[in-house]
Structure formats: structure tokens, C-alpha cells
Amino acid sequence: MSDATPRDFIRQIIHDDLESGKHDRIVTRFPPEPNGYLHIGHVMSICLNFGVAEETGGLTFLRFDDTNPGKESEEYVQAIERDVKWLGFDWEDRLTHASDYFDQLYAFAEQLIETGAAYVDSLSAEEIREYRGTLTEAGKNSPYRDRSIDENLDLFRRMRDGEFADGAHLLRAKIDMASPNMNLRDPALYRIRHVSHQHTGDKWCIYPMYDFAHTMSDALEHITHSLCTLEFEDHRPLYDWLLDRLQPEHRPRQIEFSRLNLAYAITSKRRLNALVEDGTVTGWDDPRMPTIAGMRRRGYPAEALREFVRRGGVTKKDKLIEMAAFETCVREVLGDVAERRMGVIHPLKVVLTNYPEGQVEMMQASNHPNRPELGERAVPFSGELYIERDDFMEDAPRKFFRLKPGGEVRLRNGYIIRCDEVIRDASGEITELRCSYDPDTRSGTGTSDRKVKGTIHWVSAAHAVPAEVRLYDRLFASPDPNSAEDFMQELNPQSLTTVTAMLEPALADLAVGEPVQFERVGYFCVDSADHSAAKPVLNRIITLRDSWAKIEKQAMA
Ligand code: ATP
Ligand code: MG
């Protein structure tokens, strides 16, 4: 469905760099830290990094930024790989880790020491904070700042060899303690951490800091354009300082863009983790989560996610995109691909008193209104049916064109029926409708050309497949939980309602990953985690908008 992706400011820079011959080929990277699952914000970064490379015949690395051992895990690594693939991108043989470069990064660090551009500091963490100054006050130099190159090298090697405890020393870049940019006040490059690493085991007890590892990994991978979010704008002077000092053969360029924020959703791994940890959701892949895994399980098509970020564009301005924009993409994609079925979410029994006892007719129903190639299926019709509770109203207003006492309605792909009697239980609740059908009005083949205004869906009671259906709503009740003081207070208590629905028999064979539209109701899919043929569990992906107007128009045509 996508037209060509519009040329945003990053695509313009890339276009110019190719045109001017600055680069023959674009190389980008998507650098997640494996400390959580990817979310809708990451989708934007993935589509941008892989997208600009794909569009220009370039290459993209999937690089795990694994410089924080202890917080990172193999579960997250695997989830990230699965999610990027599912989105439709392929890193081929370019799966790397910052830890693949620990030897080279170490060598770069020694090179900085040897040129007097880095030193080993031995202040305590607290002293370092004090010496750092504030946004309005310059910092001051550490008393260890002027150690000799030899002493620095010796200490750094002994840090590497495990002679010191965590926090005893720190390797810092020697830049400027009075810089207005705090990132340039002698930022840390390497810290001591006696923690084993998921890839390098116990080989290292010093680990590079993010800015250093990231910059030099970009250089080592010959990344041409290092695309990152705006919060790194203030880190760019450090990025460039490191490249100036170390002069790698390939010099990447960092370009920042604004984060994607989605209304009614949280886009921070830390906060999403809090929802998982305290049991607010069932896991990272809970279908209400704005994670890729959650959205996949919910049934959102990958194409809808890609289309959503494409429409959002790439800018330098912070934005909160409306949920409606996302939902429009989902509906557009599903409208094309999802086959139509009938399912009754809140069932109400209908008995056709004049329908021959024991008779079953097979009704032909089209699988897609605009795609005849998807064919038809046979749906059993009988004298006992379920209809949607909402499709019956006792004291109906004049404009209510569904079923009311004494009124008529068409059963989609079936007959016109009339409601003759309303049955209630002792508490007054309506339990059943007694109706009669008009045998001359069978859809398609009936001899009568009688028309009624309303058309409703139904399922034959004897053939119905009962299923647990999970109706999702927004996880948060307020549009901007990211900015709330306590985002946990913004949860929508109605984000999940579970009902037992009655589905047409064809739905028993639905496969994981195959979305369907229950006509007039919404889009659904089987739940990849909890569904089984014996105990069907379906997720509502999204409601239909304005299904009414259309079906009524068709019925009246
Ligand atoms: P979080 O705050 O959720 O932990 P992060 O930025 O720390 O996100 P990383 O794993 O470091 O997560 O992110 C990998 C890449 O995805 C980075 O380049 C980052 O800039 C980008 N990214 C993260 N969040 C967003 C977002 N909301 N919009 C666009 N890009 C994002
Ligand atoms: Mg990060």
C-alpha cells in the first residue's frame, strides 16, 4: 500500500552523500540494548535504519549494545531477533555485538592514554559527582588528572587484569571540566565491573561505557550514518571528539531524529518492564503491550506497523502520535487481507418457531466483499440461532433497524425473521426470542423480493463453536502516560474484558497469524499462546469503525 517513502531530512542527507560521492554505499545499524523487548518506538528506528539502506542498496547491521552485563539477557536477544525479522527486515550476516569489539575497544582506550587524551581517575563515585559541577557551575579537575602516561597505562592494565575492586578506578577522557556540555566534562570511558558477561564470560572485568563503545563500534563497522534519537544530540560532540582523537579509517556521522511517542502507550523499556514485573500485564507479549511481541500476538499485521511509522515521517520535532492514526493503518491493512466470518460476541438465543424441526440448510457466504478470488464458504443455518444481544431492543427508537418486538430484520446470508415473543427468566433478564422466518426470503435464491432495513449476523446454535474472546481496550486511560507523574496511576481498568462468544464452525480451523473479520464486529485472531482446538481463545485485534452505515446501505440497495 505504501507509496514511495517521502524524503525526510535524513533521506535527503543520504541522497546528497551518495550524489556527491562522499559514500558509494550507505551502511546503517540498529543498536538495541538487550535489556527488554522492542516497542513501537523501536519500530520507527528499525524501519528507518533498514529502510534507508534498502532503498539505496546499502547494508544494515543488527548490533546488540551489550556493554551492561547483568542487566541483559539471552531471552531479550532472541526476542529482538524474532521481532526484527517479523517486521520484515533481514540483517543477513551482519549480526554483531558491541562485545565482539572489546579487544579493539581496549586498544583504542590505550591509544587515547598514550596520546594523553585519557587518564585513570581514582576519586570515589561521590567525589566524581561533586567535581563534576552543575549546569550552571563549572566542574573542577580531579587531582589524578595529570598522572603520567606511564602511570595511566600501568593502572589501566592492572584494572584490566583484575587487581582492583569495582569503583576503585575509572578511565576518563581528558576533555574539559568547565565545558557547558556536561558530556564533555571528562566522561567515563571504562569502568571496573567484576561481572561475567553473556558473551565474553569472565574474560573482562572492565567494560566500556556506552558512548565510547557505540562510537567506535560504528567506526569499526564502517557505518556511514549513525541514526539515533534526539537525546543523543548533546553526546554528538563527544562522538566527534573520539573520532577526531582516534582517527579511524572510516568516519561515521551521527544524525539525530525525534522519538516516536504513541498516545495511550508507554515507550520506555524500563516502564514496560515495571508493568511485567508487577503483574499488571501477563508478560512482555501481553496483547495490550505496545511491544512488537505484544502487537504481533494481538494480531496487528507487520505491514500496518511499517505503514504507521512511514506516515509518521522522520523529523526533529517531538511528537505524540494519535492512537487513531495507528488504528487507521491497522484497519486498512486488515480490511484487505482478513476473510469475513460470523461470530456473536454477546449471544442471545433465537428460536424460529416455524422452521422445520431438525432441518439444516447450508448458506453460501462470501469470504470477502471485494476479493471474489477468496471464494465462498457454506454456513449452517438451523431453527435455533444466536444473535448479538445488542441487535435486539425492546423499547426501540423509530430509527432502530435491527430486531424489536413485532419487527423484522434480515439475517445475513439467511432469511428475514420477525420477532414474535420475548422470553425472560425469573429475574426479568431476556433469555430467548421466539421468531418466525419467511421461507421465501432466502438470501440469493428466495422468491420474494421483500426488503427490510436492517441486516444482522448470527450463528447456528447447534453448530456454534464457543470460544473465549478477549476484548482489548487501551492499556492507559490518559493520552500521555509517559509524562504523568506516576504512569501506573494512568492505567485503564477496563483494558481487558473476556467473554464467551459463539462462532461459526469455519472458525474452528483458524491458524495462528491469520486475522479474520467478524462481520459488523471487528477483527480477530487466535491467541498464539493460549489457543487450542479444544479450548479456543481469540483476541480482538481492533473494532470496526462505522460498520453499520455500510451494511445498512447494502441491505437497502
Ligand atoms: P528505552 O528508553 O525504551 O529503553 P532505548 O533508547 O534505551 O529505549 P535502545 O535499545 O537503546 O533503547 O534503542 C535502540 C535504538 O532504538 C536506539 O537507536 C534508539 O534511539 C531507538 N529508539 C528507542 N526508542 C525510540 C523511540 N521512541 N522512537 C524512535 N527510536 C527509538
Ligand atoms: Mg538506550
Side-chain angles (χ1 to χ4, degrees):
M1 73 165 40
S2 310
D3 305 312
T5 302
R7 192 179 285 174
D8 49 68
F9 77 98
I10 290 181
R11 286 179 164 86
Q12 184 63 47
I13 292 171
I14 284 174
H15 172 85
D16 294 347
D17 286 349
L18 286 169
E19 197 117 293
S20 72
K22 181 175 178 200
H23 301 291
D24 303 330
R25 188 166 67 178
I26 297 306
V27 186
T28 58
R29 83 290 167 270
F30 173 64
E33 181 177 357
N35 62 348
Y37 280 55
L38 299 177
H39 53 61
I40 185 78
H42 295 116
V43 173
M44 177 193 179
S45 180
I46 295 167
C47 290
L48 176 62
N49 279 293
F50 281 91
V52 296
E54 238 167 47
E55 292 155 23
T56 59
L59 306 173
T60 304
F61 285 80
L62 171 61
R63 184 202 312 146
F64 287 104
D65 158 35
D66 56 352
T67 51
N68 238 331
K71 280 207 195 147
E72 297 158 359
S73 86
E74 193 54 31
E75 178 199 346
Y76 297 141
V77 167
Q78 284 174 13
I80 290 169
E81 290 180 36
R82 194 162 54 233
D83 291 347
V84 175
K85 266 192 204 138
W86 176 77
L87 263 186
F89 298 105
D90 187 356
W91 53 85
E92 297 172 346
D93 57 353
R94 290 174 294 280
L95 179 95
T96 58
H97 307 83
S99 60
D100 298 342
Y101 309 122
F102 280 175
D103 287 321
Q104 285 125 300
L105 295 174
Y106 178 84
F108 281 131
E110 285 210 349
Q111 200 180 319
L112 287 173
I113 296 173
E114 280 162 1
T115 55
Y119 64 98
V120 173
D121 198 358
S122 308
L123 292 177
S124 69
E126 200 180 316
E127 288 166 323
I128 287 178
R129 249 191 315 277
E130 275 167 29
Y131 277 71
R132 206 157 168 246
T134 63
L135 282 173
T136 50
E137 258 175 85
K140 52 182 183 178
N141 289 350
S142 163
Y144 303 102
R145 199 173 195 261
D146 294 317
R147 276 175 165 152
S148 70
I149 289 174
D150 285 342
E151 189 183 0
N152 280 320
L153 257 188
D154 174 62
L155 282 170
F156 187 51
R157 288 177 182 163
R158 287 164 60 198
M159 282 167 62
R160 174 199 60 193
D161 295 339
E163 280 190 35
F164 307 114
D166 290 7
H169 304 285
L170 189 66
L171 184 72
R172 301 178 73 173
K174 193 189 267 191
I175 307 181
D176 178 6
M177 287 305 291
S179 171
N181 183 342
M182 300 291 276
N183 295 299
L184 296 182
R185 294 190 187 173
D186 292 8
L189 300 176
Y190 259 96
R191 66 203 186 293
I192 303 174
R193 289 199 59 201
H194 290 270
V195 182
S196 70
H197 185 280
Q198 64 266 31
H199 270 127
T200 56
D202 293 322
K203 176 171 176 193
W204 298 93
C205 61
I206 56 172
Y207 292 99
M209 302 300 289
Y210 175 80
D211 282 318
F212 177 57
H214 185 240
T215 308
M216 300 320 294
S217 302
D218 281 350
L220 289 167
E221 285 174 354
H222 304 181
I223 302 299
T224 55
H225 299 79
S226 180
L227 311 177
C228 62
T229 35
L230 273 180
E231 69 270 26
F232 291 103
E233 198 165 22
D234 288 348
H235 297 237
R236 180 159 24 96
L238 174 56
Y239 192 93
D240 288 334
W241 183 90
L242 287 164
L243 296 173
D244 289 343
R245 291 301 167 129
L246 290 164
Q247 292 288 325
E249 195 183 335
H250 293 266
R251 186 184 174 108
R253 170 175 175 193
Q254 175 176 308
I255 306 171
E256 308 87 18
F257 59 92
S258 64
R259 293 174 85 88
L260 180 153
N261 295 305
L262 179 60
Y264 297 96
I266 286 264
T267 44
S268 144
K269 280 182 285 188
R270 192 173 51 76
R271 289 175 166 192
L272 292 171
N273 189 38
L275 295 173
V276 174
E277 288 295 312
D278 87 340
T280 302
V281 294
T282 56
W284 285 98
D285 69 343
D286 185 301
R288 292 166 294 178
M289 290 279 267
T291 52
I292 299 178
M295 294 189 287
R296 172 173 59 236
R297 183 169 163 195
R298 170 81 164 254
Y300 294 146
E303 188 189 348
L305 270 59
R306 293 194 305 264
E307 179 62 15
F308 168 64
V309 301
R310 192 187 74 82
R311 289 183 193 177
V314 182
T315 66
K316 282 257 188 202
K317 261 209 291 303
D318 266 328
K319 56 190 166 219
L320 182 66
I321 302 189
E322 284 175 59
M323 194 64 152
F326 176 68
E327 292 180 339
T328 298
C329 294
V330 173
R331 288 194 181 96
E332 282 182 21
V333 173
L334 288 175
D336 282 344
V337 301
E339 291 200 3
R340 278 30 173 187
R341 297 287 183 267
M342 289 196 287
V344 176
I345 300 298
H346 301 286
L348 174 62
K349 186 82 154 288
V350 166
V351 176
L352 302 179
T353 50
N354 63 338
Y355 196 79
E357 174 110 32
Q359 178 173 299
V360 176
E361 288 175 81
M362 297 309 285
M363 303 302 201
Q364 285 308 112
S366 137
N367 288 330
H368 198 289
N370 317 318
R371 295 182 57 193
E373 74 277 13
L374 293 178
E376 297 190 330
R377 69 195 184 285
V379 185
F381 184 91
S382 69
E384 287 198 9
L385 311 165
Y386 292 113
I387 65 165
E388 210 69 66
R389 215 157 248 282
D390 277 0
D391 283 338
F392 173 76
M393 211 171 162
E394 236 180 344
D395 299 308
R398 225 165 44 86
K399 292 251 165 161
F400 185 80
F401 297 125
R402 293 167 275 171
L403 201 54
K404 51 191 165 191
E408 285 189 317
V409 77
R410 171 167 283 286
L411 296 179
R412 182 147 171 82
N413 310 305
Y415 293 94
I416 292 176
I417 61 169
R418 187 182 57 234
C419 175
D420 304 317
E421 195 186 345
V422 178
I423 312 286
R424 301 166 184 283
D425 64 13
S427 70
E429 170 104 14
I430 298 172
T431 54
E432 186 180 310
L433 303 176
R434 297 276 162 90
C435 300
S436 46
Y437 86 116
D438 178 347
D440 295 335
T441 57
R442 184 175 154 136
S443 255
T445 58
T447 51
S448 160
D449 57 1
R450 223 149 62 70
K451 294 224 169 17
V452 290
K453 271 197 171 163
T455 300
I456 64 174
H457 60 277
W458 52 273
V459 170
S460 163
H463 305 88
V465 181
E468 176 181 328
V469 172
R470 299 173 179 169
L471 306 172
Y472 298 107
D473 199 351
R474 293 166 184 184
L475 185 53
F476 290 94
S478 69
D480 194 8
N482 281 304
S483 317
E485 208 165 293
D486 177 6
F487 71 98
M488 288 287 198
Q489 297 297 316
E490 309 298 316
L491 288 161
N492 171 12
Q494 262 94 50
S495 62
L496 170 61
T497 314
T498 299
V499 297
T500 301
M502 292 294 177
L503 313 180
E504 68 164 86
L507 284 165
D509 307 323
L510 201 59
V512 169
E514 200 184 321
V516 284
Q517 184 194 99
F518 293 175
E519 289 189 277
R520 301 181 57 237
V521 178
Y523 293 97
F524 294 78
C525 66
V526 300
D527 184 71
S528 55
D530 298 337
H531 172 82
S532 68
K535 198 182 158 296
V537 179
L538 282 84
N539 297 320
R540 181 173 71 197
I541 306 171
I542 194 165
T543 53
L544 285 183
R545 206 176 13 199
D546 213 17
S547 53
W548 262 112
K550 233 178 166 177
I551 290 204
E552 276 170 15
K553 233 196 264 150
Q554 280 167 3
M556 288 165 69

